């Protein structure tokens, strides 16, 4: 074996590689010694490298390394073989090991550097945007590639399009025609991917968005959105929104020469708006497509900021599309030859009408809107009675003033009552629905009670159509609650409203009944829960999960929790009213505080917070500002008891409140902010408002510090900010950035003891922030003086907060130690002595720490003044005291002060008395 190995070596040195391999192979067969065998494998590996047989070279080198892991020759040969095989990462590891064993070997170091550079280059090539885009195109253009790979490639294009470099490469590589081809020939999954890719390409780039609109065409985009596929319609709606945002200011970058390409986008915006309005009234458009067209109009036509005086988009929409939107509202789905609609189409159209009407600035504009609506209702429809009433119904749910004016026209109310007696079920259903919504005004409710109740009862008893029966029942429910929560103005006999409510609940809880009918059951409960007897029965049931009945559910919960606004009852005025024989509202016995609390507990136990959290996530077209206000009222009522706030947090209530506090009506935002303040005051912010949401909580809380808010709202907000300020430096900085400091400082002067204490505690937690410290060091302010004076107050909680703030400020800024003694109140020394002698160990500890900070302020005169006062005796007495767990912090601080005084040479060691 040794002889064969030596012969092989000779052949190798002579350049006869084949004979060398033969000798090594024979030697391997007869060799039993592992170490010699490893050498032979290593040598044969070198031969295979010469023969460019890299797989065998790597294999032989590995066998040598298995015997001796530090065989540097075998490691390097395997590295060479692996490099040639393209396995750069494995080769890099081998040469890295070689360089570790021989760190001065130039060959190893050079190979290590070269392989490292090659790996980086390979990574860049493999993952570069260009190569990825090219790869996706190759797959999509190859007819032989299977469908799964094509779909995967299409989805990868979506991801690439969301990167600026990827979007640009797709566009430059003729990507738009390819995507159009995918839309024309592909399955729904491919169409979705193509639309989403176009959305990514249009996002934030005006020039590219404009080019894509011209290449694809607005009509083509509308035809895609018109298909009867909800996902495709929604994706196309998103594409339109991306285009609109890019055209109207979403793109803030400068494109240099490309700016010359981006001329005037107004023509394109006008074309898009006209096309969307055309879609609204077209029979060729599916219900889903119509919904998305209405949603786009609702989002982009009305002004987002009323300070902007330009409402030209709304006026343009009225001139060119109001009749089309009204046509949608006037459809009766049960009749033949109607526009394709979804369950939500008419509701979305109603919301759009309301937004456009609210966007109008003057009476002539509103009069024009009303005139067009009136003309549409009286002259356009083939079957006027049925469709006029349907239109009236949806106008009452949208721009109420317009619907109300229409109801007030001569004959409309009579028409509704007459249709109730029609033999055709469609007429009955439409009339009952309109009666329900037109009786919002008390005067009209009285008219219907007089003229329509008997008809509704007759319909309810005789009809076999469940859809009509439930609507008639809701009409009775609404009329039965016409007196609100005034117990003395009940419309029906005792027990009647409970019977109506039981029937509503029966329908609601029956999953076999269609969704729309169950929505009406919720509507009925929303009215009936004005009655306290119904409230008590209702809270035993579970809320519905259908998001399209949000307003009704919210109203119901507001009624159950009594969280609506109540007029303050002044006993003197009540007596005066009774004396003058005026009507005095009466409270239902079950609307008293203890009954309300029991209902709230039952709702929480039933998981109402989770239901509210789901409702908050609903689409904005359904979740109106008024609904948000209702939800905020319910949350506030639920969070009244501190013991219940943990349950609210555990069920996601903290997260759900944030959007309610940031968007909606002014009243709703205040209510939601107040609920957040209650939760933030006693909860761990990480749990109550997880992640980055905690930073969104600051602004609602700061808004409650306004002097326009109630004292309880100021107090709860201060407590919430105190808890947040004690949690992290980032939150403290956020509070300062939201300009809360001036408000907090104002409340430190407040006469109300609890508000003043809360403000001081909040400031105590904020003083570790540098920005706050700088405010205290500004020339000519009395902020520090105020804190020192608050330390002298009798309220212990206030003293703890103020003394803590002084202690932390003087520890952080030595300059403030001098300000206390020279520029603040003359009583500073007396107050400091009182703090140190205070029986409350927490207050004493804070006072002594402040003394130490002043001794440590590098001002000899100040330190001397302190020691020459009675403070030395006070510190000595406290420092000499026996150890006491309750006062140990104060004792240790006093001893530290005395040691510092000794270090400064102000007292002698033998006088210190420290054990």
């Amino acid at each position: 074996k040794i002889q064969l190995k030596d012969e092989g070596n000779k052949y190798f040195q002579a350049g006869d590689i084949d004979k060398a391999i033969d000798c090594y192979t024979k030697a391997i067969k007869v060799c039993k010694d592992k170490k010699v065998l490893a050498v032979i494998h290593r040598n044969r590996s070198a031969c295979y490298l010469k023969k460019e047989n890299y797989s065998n070279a790597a294999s032989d080198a590995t066998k040598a390394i298995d015997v001796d892991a530090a065989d540097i020759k075998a490691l390097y040969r395997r590295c060479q073989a692996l490099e040639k095989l393209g396995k750069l990462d494995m080769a890099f590891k081998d040469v890295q090991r070689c360089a570790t064993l021989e760190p001065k070997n130039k060959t190893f170091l050079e190979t290590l550097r070269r392989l490292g550079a090659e790996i980086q280059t390979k990574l860049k090539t493999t993952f570069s945007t260009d190569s990825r885009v090219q790869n996706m195109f190759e797959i999509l253009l190859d007819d032989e590639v299977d469908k799964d790979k094509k779909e995967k490639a299409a989805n990868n294009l979506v991801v690439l399009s969301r990167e600026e470099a990827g979007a640009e490469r797709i566009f430059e590589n003729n990507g738009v025609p390819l995507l159009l081809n995918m839309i024309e020939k592909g399955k729904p999954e491919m169409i979705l991917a193509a639309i989403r890719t176009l959305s990514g390409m249009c996002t934030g780039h005006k020039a590219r968005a404009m080019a894509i609109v011209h290449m694809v065409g607005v009509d083509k985009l509308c035809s895609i959105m018109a298909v009867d596929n909800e996902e495709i319609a929604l994706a196309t709606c998103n594409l339109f929104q991306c285009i609109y945002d890019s055209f109207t200011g979403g793109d803030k970058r400068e494109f240099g020469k490309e700016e010359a390409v981006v001329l005037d986008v107004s023509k394109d915006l006008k074309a898009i708006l006209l096309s969307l309005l055309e879609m609204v009234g077209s029979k060729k458009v599916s219900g889903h497509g119509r919904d998305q067209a209405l949603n786009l109009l609702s989002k982009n036509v009305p002004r987002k900021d009323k300070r902007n005086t330009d409402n030209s988009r709304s006026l343009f929409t009225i001139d060119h599309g109001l009749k089309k939107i009204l046509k949608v509202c006037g459809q009766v789905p049960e009749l033949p030859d109607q526009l394709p609609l979804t369950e939500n189409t008419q509701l979305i159209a109603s919301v759009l009408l309301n937004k456009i009407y609210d966007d109008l600035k003057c009476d002539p504009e509103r009069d024009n809107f009303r005139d067009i609506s009136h003309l549409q209702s009286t002259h356009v429809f083939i079957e006027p009675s049925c469709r006029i009433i349907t239109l009236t119904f949806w106008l009452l749910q949208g721009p109420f003033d317009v619907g109300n004016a229409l109801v007030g026209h001569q004959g409309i109310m009579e028409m509704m009552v007459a249709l109730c007696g029609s033999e055709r079920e469609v007429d009955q259903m439409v009339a009952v629905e309109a009666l329900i919504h037109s009786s919002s005004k008390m005067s009209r409710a009285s008219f219907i009670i007089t003229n329509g109740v008997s008809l509704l009862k007759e319909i309810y008893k005789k009809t076999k159509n469940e859809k009509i029966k439930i609507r008639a029942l809701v009409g009775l429910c609404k009329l039965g609650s016409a007196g609100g929560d005034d117990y003395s103005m009940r419309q029906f006999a005792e027990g009647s409203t409970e019977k109506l409510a039981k029937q509503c609940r029966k329908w609601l809880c029956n999953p076999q009944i269609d969704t729309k009918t169950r929505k009406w059951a919720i509507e009925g409960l929303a009215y009936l829960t004005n009655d306290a007897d119904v409230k008590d029965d209702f809270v035993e049931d579970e809320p519905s999960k259908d998001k399209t009945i949000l307003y009704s559910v919210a109203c119901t919960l507001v009624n159950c929790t009594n969280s609506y606004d109540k007029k303050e009852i002044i006993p003197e005025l009540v007596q005066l009213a009774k004396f003058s024989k005026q009507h005095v509202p009466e409270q239902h016995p079950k609307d008293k505080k203890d009954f309300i609390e029991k209902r709230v507990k039952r709702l929480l136990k039933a998981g109402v917070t989770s239901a509210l959290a789901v409702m908050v996530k609903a689409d904005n077209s359904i979740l109106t500002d008024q609904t948000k206000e209702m939800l905020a009222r319910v949350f506030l009522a639920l969070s009244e008891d501190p013991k219940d706030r943990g349950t609210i947090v555990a069920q996601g209530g903290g997260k759900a409140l944030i959007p309610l506090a940031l968007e909606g009506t002014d009243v709703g935002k205040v209510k939601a902010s107040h609920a957040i303040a209650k939760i933030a005051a006693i909860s761990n912010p990480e749990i109550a408002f997880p992640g980055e949401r905690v930073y969104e909580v600051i602004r609602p809380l700061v808004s409650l510090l306004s002097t326009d808010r109630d004292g309880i709202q100021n107090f709860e907000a201060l407590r919430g900010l105190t808890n947040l300020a004690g949690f992290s430096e980032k939150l403290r900085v956020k509070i300062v950035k939201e300009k809360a400091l001036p408000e907090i400082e104002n409340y430190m002067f407040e006469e109300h003891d609890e508000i003043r204490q809360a403000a001081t505690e909040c400031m105590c937690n904020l003083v570790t922030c540098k920005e706050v410290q700088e405010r205290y060091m500004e020339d000519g302010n009395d902020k520090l003086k105020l804190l020192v004076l608050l330390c002298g107050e009798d309220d212990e909680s206030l003293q703890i907060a103020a003394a803590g703030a002084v202690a932390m400020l003087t520890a952080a800024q030595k300059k403030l130690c001098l300000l206390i003694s020279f520029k603040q109140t003359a009583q500073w020394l007396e107050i400091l002595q009182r703090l140190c002698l205070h029986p409350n160990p927490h207050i004493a500890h804070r006072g002594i720490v402040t003394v130490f900070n002043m001794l440590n302020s590098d001002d000899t005169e100040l330190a001397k003044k302190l020691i020459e006062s009675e403070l030395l005796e006070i510190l000595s007495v406290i420092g000499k005291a026996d150890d006491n767990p309750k006062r140990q912090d104060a004792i240790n601080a006093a001893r530290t002060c005395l040691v510092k005084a000794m270090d400064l040479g102000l007292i002698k060691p033998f006088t210190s008395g420290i054990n």
Side-chain angles (χ1 to χ4, degrees):
K1 58 185 178 182
I2 299 298
Q3 185 180 353
L4 287 169
K5 180 177 84 69
D6 291 339
E7 284 181 12
N9 291 346
K10 289 177 182 177
Y11 284 127
F12 181 81
Q13 289 169 1
D16 195 343
I17 305 301
D18 290 333
K19 287 184 178 179
I21 290 174
D22 287 339
C23 290
Y24 290 141
T25 303
K26 290 175 183 176
I28 288 168
K29 289 178 180 178
V30 296
C31 182
K32 302 296 182 182
D33 189 312
K34 285 186 178 180
K35 290 185 178 179
V36 175
L37 196 59
V39 173
I40 297 171
H41 276 298
R42 184 179 68 198
N43 290 349
R44 192 172 67 170
S45 174
C47 295
Y48 284 136
L49 280 174
K50 291 285 186 181
K51 296 291 290 181
E52 297 183 2
N53 188 341
Y54 302 118
S55 296
N56 285 346
S59 176
D60 272 351
T62 299
K63 289 172 183 175
I65 294 165
D66 288 342
V67 176
D68 182 7
D71 189 335
I72 201 162
K73 288 183 180 180
L75 283 165
Y76 189 68
R77 284 169 189 168
R78 187 171 70 175
C79 163
Q80 291 174 302
L82 291 171
E83 182 185 359
K84 294 297 183 181
L85 290 170
K87 300 177 180 179
L88 298 182
D89 52 341
M90 296 172 68
F92 184 83
K93 289 179 182 178
D94 281 347
V95 76
Q96 198 172 36
R97 176 69 175 150
C98 293
T100 304
L101 295 169
E102 288 187 19
K104 294 183 179 179
N105 190 310
K106 291 182 179 180
T107 303
F108 295 161
L109 293 175
E110 177 57 26
T111 305
L112 188 67
R113 184 200 62 74
R114 178 172 51 76
L115 284 178
E118 286 180 12
I119 289 170
Q120 290 300 318
T121 303
K122 184 180 178 181
L123 286 172
K124 286 179 182 177
T125 303
T126 303
F127 296 105
S128 69
T129 304
D130 275 3
S131 66
R132 282 190 289 170
V133 171
Q134 196 62 40
N135 190 27
M136 295 307 105
F137 278 169
E138 287 173 2
I139 293 171
L140 290 168
L141 292 168
D142 190 345
D143 293 333
E144 296 180 2
V145 175
D146 61 66
K147 292 179 181 178
D148 289 340
K149 282 189 176 180
K150 282 195 173 186
E151 286 181 10
K152 189 175 180 181
N155 289 325
N156 286 338
L157 270 182
V158 175
V159 176
L160 284 172
S161 70
R162 292 169 183 166
E163 304 169 3
E164 173 55 32
E168 192 61 29
R169 294 309 300 152
I170 294 171
F171 185 77
E172 290 180 357
N173 280 280
N174 206 30
V176 176
L178 172 65
L179 294 169
L180 281 173
N181 188 40
M182 288 168 59
I183 292 169
E184 292 292 339
K185 298 181 180 180
K187 288 187 174 181
E189 296 80 9
M190 297 287 280
I191 296 173
L192 272 174
I195 294 295
R196 288 167 180 166
T197 302
L198 287 171
S199 297
M201 294 167 69
C202 290
T203 300
H205 198 300
K206 190 186 294 183
R208 193 162 57 229
M210 191 174 189
I212 289 172
V213 167
H214 290 170
M215 291 171 75
V216 178
V218 175
D219 291 340
K220 178 64 179 176
L221 291 175
C222 289
S223 69
I224 297 168
M225 193 163 74
V227 301
D228 191 15
N229 183 303
E230 188 174 5
E231 278 192 292
I232 291 174
L234 185 60
T236 314
C237 172
N238 182 59
L239 170 57
F240 267 120
Q241 191 60 52
C242 292
I243 292 168
Y244 183 86
D245 289 342
S246 294
F247 281 2
T248 57
D251 178 12
K252 301 295 183 184
R253 294 162 296 175
E254 294 182 6
F255 293 100
K257 293 180 180 179
E258 289 185 20
E259 285 297 322
V261 180
V262 185
L263 301 172
D264 185 8
V265 295
S266 60
K267 290 183 180 179
D268 292 305
L269 287 171
K270 184 178 177 181
I272 291 171
L273 182 54
L274 285 170
S275 297
L276 292 174
L277 290 171
E278 191 63 34
M279 284 186 71
V280 168
S282 172
K283 284 188 177 181
K284 296 179 181 178
V285 177
S286 69
H288 297 302
R290 201 177 320 279
D291 283 0
Q292 298 309 326
L294 290 165
N295 279 329
L296 282 166
L297 292 168
S298 184
K299 186 171 183 179
N300 299 303
V301 169
R303 292 170 291 166
K304 292 181 174 63
D305 186 353
K306 290 294 190 287
R307 290 174 293 185
N308 176 13
T309 57
D310 181 15
N311 67 340
S312 57
R313 286 196 300 270
S314 290
L315 298 177
F316 183 87
T317 302
I318 291 171
D319 291 340
H320 295 84
L322 181 57
K323 290 180 181 179
K324 294 182 177 70
I325 302 168
L326 290 168
K327 180 182 177 182
V328 172
C329 289
Q331 297 294 295
V332 182
E334 289 77 11
L335 294 178
D337 197 32
Q338 301 296 293
L339 296 175
L341 306 175
T342 69
E343 288 185 350
N344 297 323
T345 305
Q346 289 174 298
L347 175 61
I348 298 169
S350 177
V351 171
L352 171 59
L353 289 172
N354 189 47
K355 287 186 174 182
I356 292 173
Y357 188 73
D358 283 347
D359 198 43
L360 302 179
K361 298 188 294 184
C362 58
D363 289 340
E365 291 177 356
R366 297 185 189 95
D367 290 341
N368 179 48
F369 188 105
R370 282 192 287 265
D371 291 344
I372 293 173
S373 302
H374 179 58
L375 287 171
Q376 183 77 353
S377 68
T378 54
H379 296 302
V380 175
F381 294 130
I382 299 171
E383 300 179 67
S385 295
C386 187
R387 295 194 178 183
I388 287 173
I389 302 307
T390 304
L391 175 59
T392 304
F393 168 75
W394 286 110
L395 283 172
L396 286 166
Q397 295 217 66
F400 182 81
D401 290 346
V402 179
N404 203 31
L406 192 58
V407 170
H409 286 177
Q410 187 175 3
I412 296 291
M413 291 295 291
E414 289 79 4
M415 188 187 298
M416 290 183 195
V417 174
L419 282 176
C420 286
S422 170
E423 292 182 2
R424 198 166 64 163
E425 289 185 342
V426 172
D427 291 340
Q428 289 182 8
M429 194 177 335
V430 167
V432 172
E433 287 181 1
L435 275 174
I436 291 167
H437 286 281
S438 61
S439 59
S440 297
K441 292 272 186 181
M442 191 64 192
S443 58
R444 297 212 173 90
S446 301
F447 173 88
I448 297 168
I449 288 170
T450 305
N451 299 279
V453 168
S454 58
L455 273 172
L456 290 173
K457 286 181 178 178
E458 192 74 13
I459 291 170
Y460 178 70
K461 288 177 182 177
K462 291 187 176 180
T463 185
K464 294 181 181 179
N465 188 320
E466 291 286 325
K467 294 179 180 180
I468 298 174
K469 188 183 279 283
I470 182 63
R471 286 161 175 77
L473 177 64
V474 172
L476 292 170
C477 291
K478 185 167 185 180
L479 297 173
S481 64
D485 62 355
D486 186 347
Y487 188 51
S488 64
M489 292 187 66
R490 293 165 69 106
Q491 302 295 328
F492 297 149
E494 186 78 32
S496 296
T497 51
E498 290 97 305
K499 288 179 183 177
L500 292 174
K502 283 179 182 177
Q503 186 59 51
C504 284
R505 286 155 57 200
K506 185 178 177 182
W507 269 311
L508 178 62
C509 298
N510 186 351
Q512 295 179 348
I513 294 176
D514 67 279
T515 306
K516 199 168 184 179
T517 303
R518 294 169 76 189
K519 291 177 188 175
W520 279 100
I522 279 285
E523 190 92 9
L525 283 171
Y527 296 126
L528 289 173
T529 45
N530 276 307
D531 188 306
D533 288 321
V534 177
K535 296 176 192 180
D536 261 24
D537 291 341
F538 174 78
V539 293
E540 301 293 341
D541 294 335
E542 295 181 5
S544 171
K545 295 179 181 178
D546 190 333
K547 293 183 183 178
T548 60
I549 43 155
L550 295 186
Y551 186 77
S552 301
V553 174
C555 287
T556 304
L557 293 173
V558 165
N559 289 336
C560 288
T561 55
N562 283 50
S563 49
Y564 41 77
D565 290 329
K566 308 173 194 69
K567 291 182 180 179
E568 184 181 357
I569 297 175
I570 302 171
E572 292 81 1
L573 291 179
V574 172
Q575 294 299 322
L576 185 62
K578 286 181 178 178
F579 180 76
S580 59
K581 296 183 180 180
Q582 296 294 316
H583 172 70
V584 178
E586 294 179 20
Q587 185 184 48
H588 193 292
K590 289 186 178 179
D591 270 338
K592 291 181 180 178
K593 187 175 179 181
D594 54 342
F595 281 96
I596 297 170
E597 289 174 354
K598 287 177 184 176
R599 287 199 292 269
V600 167
K601 300 287 184 186
R602 287 178 198 159
L603 286 169
L604 284 166
K605 189 176 180 180
V608 70
T609 308
S610 298
L612 290 170
V614 172
M615 292 162 74
V616 171
K617 295 176 183 176
D619 189 87
N620 278 336
S621 61
I622 300 169
L623 186 65
T624 62
D625 287 350
Q626 288 74 22
T627 307
K628 290 176 185 176
E629 179 184 325
M630 296 284 190
L631 298 178
R633 288 177 180 274
V634 176
F635 267 120
L636 183 57
L638 296 176
S639 60
E640 192 63 36
D641 187 346
K643 294 177 184 176
D644 296 330
R645 294 172 197 170
T647 304
I648 294 171
V649 168
Q651 295 178 359
K655 293 185 289 184
L657 275 165
I658 294 172
L660 296 179
L662 297 174
E663 296 177 357
T665 65
D666 291 339
V667 173
K669 288 190 284 187
V670 170
K671 299 284 184 188
S673 299
H674 193 184
I676 286 175
K678 287 178 177 290
I679 291 170
I682 63 171
S683 305
N684 181 338
E686 269 190 331
I687 297 172
F689 314 105
E692 296 298 312
R693 290 186 181 90
V694 70
Y695 299 103
E696 297 177 44
V697 171
I698 304 296
R699 184 169 295 172
L701 293 183
V702 173
S703 71
L704 291 182
L705 298 181
S706 169
T707 52
D708 296 336
R709 304 287 170 247
D710 296 340
I712 186 64
Q713 292 171 342
N714 300 152
F715 173 70
E716 301 270 21
L718 287 166
R719 290 188 64 211
L721 289 170
T722 301
N723 192 21
L724 292 171
F727 187 69
S728 76
E729 180 64 18
K730 283 186 178 180
L731 283 170
R732 288 191 283 274
V733 171
K734 178 68 174 174
I735 291 170
V736 173
K737 284 184 178 178
E738 291 294 339
K739 300 179 181 177
L741 285 180
E743 300 288 354
I744 296 169
E745 288 165 351
N746 287 340
Y747 286 117
M748 290 170 71
F749 290 97
E750 177 67 42
E751 291 183 6
H752 193 287
D753 291 341
E754 290 186 2
I755 294 179
R756 182 173 56 169
Q757 177 192 325
T760 308
E761 288 174 348
C762 187
M763 185 58 71
C764 179
N765 282 357
L766 286 169
V767 293
T768 56
C769 186
K770 286 186 179 180
E771 288 87 343
V772 179
Q773 294 167 13
E774 288 169 0
R775 282 176 67 88
Y776 276 87
M777 289 192 292
E778 290 172 357
D779 293 334
N781 74 76
D782 291 330
K783 295 180 176 64
L784 189 58
K785 179 179 179 179
L786 170 64
L787 269 182
V788 174
L789 289 172
L790 290 175
C791 291
E793 293 288 326
D794 294 331
D795 187 324
E796 288 192 6
S797 298
L798 181 60
Q799 279 186 295
I800 289 173
V806 172
M808 285 189 283
L809 281 169
T810 52
Q813 301 291 342
K814 293 181 179 180
K815 179 182 176 182
L816 293 175
C817 297
L818 305 179
L819 288 176
I820 287 179
S821 59
F822 294 119
K823 295 185 180 181
Q824 302 301 320
T825 175
Q827 297 101 353
W828 70 270
L829 191 54
E830 180 186 341
I831 291 171
L832 205 52
Q833 291 169 355
R834 285 175 59 194
L835 288 177
C836 295
L837 287 169
H838 204 286
N840 187 319
H842 300 294
I843 296 174
H845 178 230
R846 285 160 173 75
I848 296 169
V849 168
T850 303
V851 172
F852 173 78
N853 293 337
M854 296 176 82
L855 290 171
N856 196 40
S857 64
D858 301 333
D859 187 282
T860 308
E861 290 299 319
L862 175 58
K864 189 175 180 182
K865 188 171 184 178
L866 290 171
I867 295 302
E868 287 176 352
S869 71
E870 294 177 6
L871 272 173
L872 175 59
E873 186 178 348
I874 294 169
L875 294 172
S876 298
V877 170
I878 297 171
K880 287 178 180 179
D882 295 332
D883 288 350
N884 181 343
K886 293 182 179 179
R887 301 187 64 87
Q888 197 59 45
D889 289 338
I891 293 169
N892 291 341
R895 292 172 181 174
T896 306
C897 286
L898 292 170
V899 170
K900 184 65 182 177
M902 281 191 286
D903 292 343
L904 294 171
L906 299 173
I907 58 175
K908 295 181 181 180
F910 67 89
T911 64
S912 66
I914 295 178
N915 295 325

